[in-house]
Amino acid sequence: EKGTYDHFMLKEIDEQPIVIRNIIQKYQHEDGSTRLDADIRAAMQQADRIYVIAAGTSYHAGLVGKQLLEQVANKPTEVHIASEFLYNMPLLSQNPLFVFISQSGETADSRGVLVDVKKKGHRTLTITNVPGSTLSREADFTLHTFAGPEIAVASTKAYTAQMAVLTLLAVDTAYAAGRTLDFDPIQELGIAANAMEALCNQKDEFEKIARDYLSVTRNAFFIGRASDYYVALEGALKLKEISYIQAEGFAGGELKHGTIALIEDGTPVIALATNEHVNLSIRGNVQEVVSRGAAAVIISMEGLDQEGDAVVLPRVHESIAPLVSVIPTQLIAYYAALHRGCDVDKPRNLAKSVTVE
Ligand code: F6R
């Protein structure tokens, strides 16, 4: 039920802080240790490489998950687009573990890979919002994202829930291997939930950005480096699917290799600048597009912010910053679609779950 909301998408955006807190409760014991099936823990320990398979927004969550699994858990990880994997299969390691990320658990492209790798005898884990779904039933193991039903076609809370569960999986794997971490990722998730809530309480700001920059434009660009790049991809997908604005996400450094030719007077460029070690270089990229006429919207973070930034996020740990930095892009996409008179919850040509290959 939509309750007081005009659209499921806005309701689901607002639910994200609660979803993250709920996931922490589900996956963490009171003494702070993680609660994961012993079988999943063992499968993670035995795997010498993780192959993440997903589509669309879930693929974008997988990209962030790769960083977590490598940096927190020290597990080599690759992320693949499900529809490409079978036709362009990488050489597999000795003991691969396949991790399928799917909100619906019904995506045919992902299922095609699952069926194939199972036949070859590889182990499989599904991270899904629907535990009874096909991908969940057919995989060896399931991790539930506990986001509650997601009705809007554009995925929001399922995406942040996937990243939170990937964080828990990475932490559990790290601890099980006896690693010590120099920060507490689960505590940081709690801090991220508070930051998400603060952003959900400043909707007017995002509505204004959407109105000022996106109500009449034909195209828009999102740029970022490191994990900000992954959020740029997700922000662009969200904007294009519900507002029909042609939007692309780029790695900041790639602009000069071609895309910058598209920048004209007034072209909106939304820049994510929440990663400390690339802050100067992404700001350099913003300069490059602004000097060619772009209308830049910079989303930065406390401690890294500069005068003129459109949005300054509360400070959160870099490894989970995407959970927070995606919120402005979700809200900007929502209001852009609204201002342009689009059907926010049911965009044209799209289905909530894609059950054909
Ligand atoms: C975008 C969106 C899609 C899905 C994709 C995968 O907002 O919802 O890109 O993320 O179709 O779906 P699931 O996660 O159900 O496998």
Side-chain angles (χ1 to χ4, degrees):
E1 262 314 297
K2 275 192 294 224
T4 57
Y5 288 92
D6 290 336
H7 300 99
F8 282 107
M9 183 178 177
L10 195 61
K11 174 172 176 274
E12 290 162 4
I13 289 172
D14 272 354
E15 282 169 357
Q16 290 176 108
I18 296 168
V19 168
I20 302 307
R21 292 181 191 122
N22 195 21
I23 288 170
I24 297 171
Q25 272 208 336
K26 297 278 185 195
Y27 284 108
Q28 190 179 40
H29 290 296
E30 274 182 13
D31 67 0
S33 60
T34 39
R35 182 202 315 256
L36 234 69
D37 254 18
D39 291 351
I40 297 179
R41 186 170 292 156
M44 287 297 290
Q45 296 305 314
Q46 282 155 18
D48 60 355
R49 187 172 276 264
I50 310 294
Y51 295 81
V52 175
I53 310 289
T57 289
S58 297
Y59 170 74
H60 296 155
L63 295 171
V64 176
K66 169 195 158 75
Q67 273 204 336
L68 289 159
L69 288 167
E70 294 202 328
Q71 287 165 18
V72 173
N74 202 33
K75 275 288 168 197
T77 304
E78 314 181 358
V79 194
H80 293 272
I81 293 173
S83 60
E84 281 291 305
F85 187 82
L86 294 179
Y87 309 106
N88 195 2
M89 210 185 277
L91 283 176
L92 298 183
S93 64
Q94 285 284 313
N95 291 305
L97 173 67
F98 282 83
V99 175
F100 297 85
I101 306 178
S102 177
Q103 189 284 129
S104 63
E106 302 296 343
T107 297
D109 290 322
S110 299
R111 175 154 190 261
V113 179
L114 175 67
V115 169
D116 184 87
V117 301
K118 262 182 67 169
K119 236 185 266 160
K120 295 181 170 129
H122 302 307
R123 298 239 247 178
T124 52
L125 161 67
T126 291
I127 299 177
T128 184
N129 202 30
V130 186
S133 60
T134 308
L135 285 170
S136 166
R137 280 185 278 108
E138 295 183 353
D140 297 317
F141 317 109
T142 295
L143 283 174
H144 187 185
T145 48
F146 294 109
E150 191 179 65
I151 310 293
V153 163
S155 183
T156 53
K157 63 176 179 172
Y159 166 78
T160 43
Q162 287 162 349
M163 295 190 294
V165 170
L166 285 159
T167 307
L168 269 304
L169 180 64
V171 171
D172 188 87
T173 305
Y175 291 160
R179 273 173 76 81
T180 45
L181 303 174
D182 60 3
F183 71 109
D184 179 348
I186 305 180
Q187 193 184 335
E188 298 296 337
L189 275 182
I191 296 171
N194 296 343
M196 293 162 109
E197 190 170 323
L199 292 168
C200 288
N201 289 329
Q202 11 187 127
K203 294 197 180 68
D204 293 354
E205 246 179 71
F206 304 117
E207 171 156 27
K208 182 166 175 0
I209 291 171
R211 190 175 337 108
D212 292 351
Y213 292 85
L214 300 171
S215 17
V216 291
T217 191
R218 203 170 51 84
N219 58 4
F221 297 101
F222 288 75
I223 60 170
R225 287 172 177 251
S227 63
D228 283 335
Y229 165 49
Y230 303 147
V231 177
L233 293 176
E234 173 59 11
L237 176 59
K238 218 84 308 176
L239 185 64
K240 68 184 127 185
E241 71 175 324
I242 61 170
S243 77
Y244 316 140
I245 295 170
Q246 185 177 7
E248 297 300 335
F250 286 97
E254 274 293 286
L255 277 168
K256 59 180 176 297
H257 297 290
T259 313
I260 201 161
L262 294 170
I263 302 294
E264 296 175 308
D265 234 12
T267 306
V269 175
I270 298 173
L272 290 131
T274 77
N275 273 291
E276 191 158 7
H277 54 291
V278 294
N279 201 257
L280 289 180
S281 36
I282 193 68
R283 287 183 185 278
N285 298 136
V286 171
Q287 278 314 312
E288 287 160 14
V289 293
V290 166
S291 67
R292 287 159 178 92
V297 176
I298 300 179
I299 300 174
S300 70
M301 186 175 281
E302 280 170 8
L304 303 172
D305 55 307
Q306 292 184 11
E307 210 179 309
D309 291 353
V311 181
V312 180
L313 307 173
R315 182 93 191 181
V316 295
H317 194 275
E318 187 158 301
S319 67
I320 45 135
L323 281 97
V324 179
S325 58
V326 77
I327 307 284
T329 71
Q330 293 170 343
L331 285 165
I332 289 168
Y334 172 79
Y335 288 114
L338 208 61
H339 291 315
R340 295 167 77 106
C342 301
D343 187 347
V344 173
D345 282 340
K346 287 201 179 67
R348 68 186 179 206
N349 308 343
L350 289 170
K352 183 63 185 163
S353 69
V354 185
T355 52
V356 288
E357 280 186 51

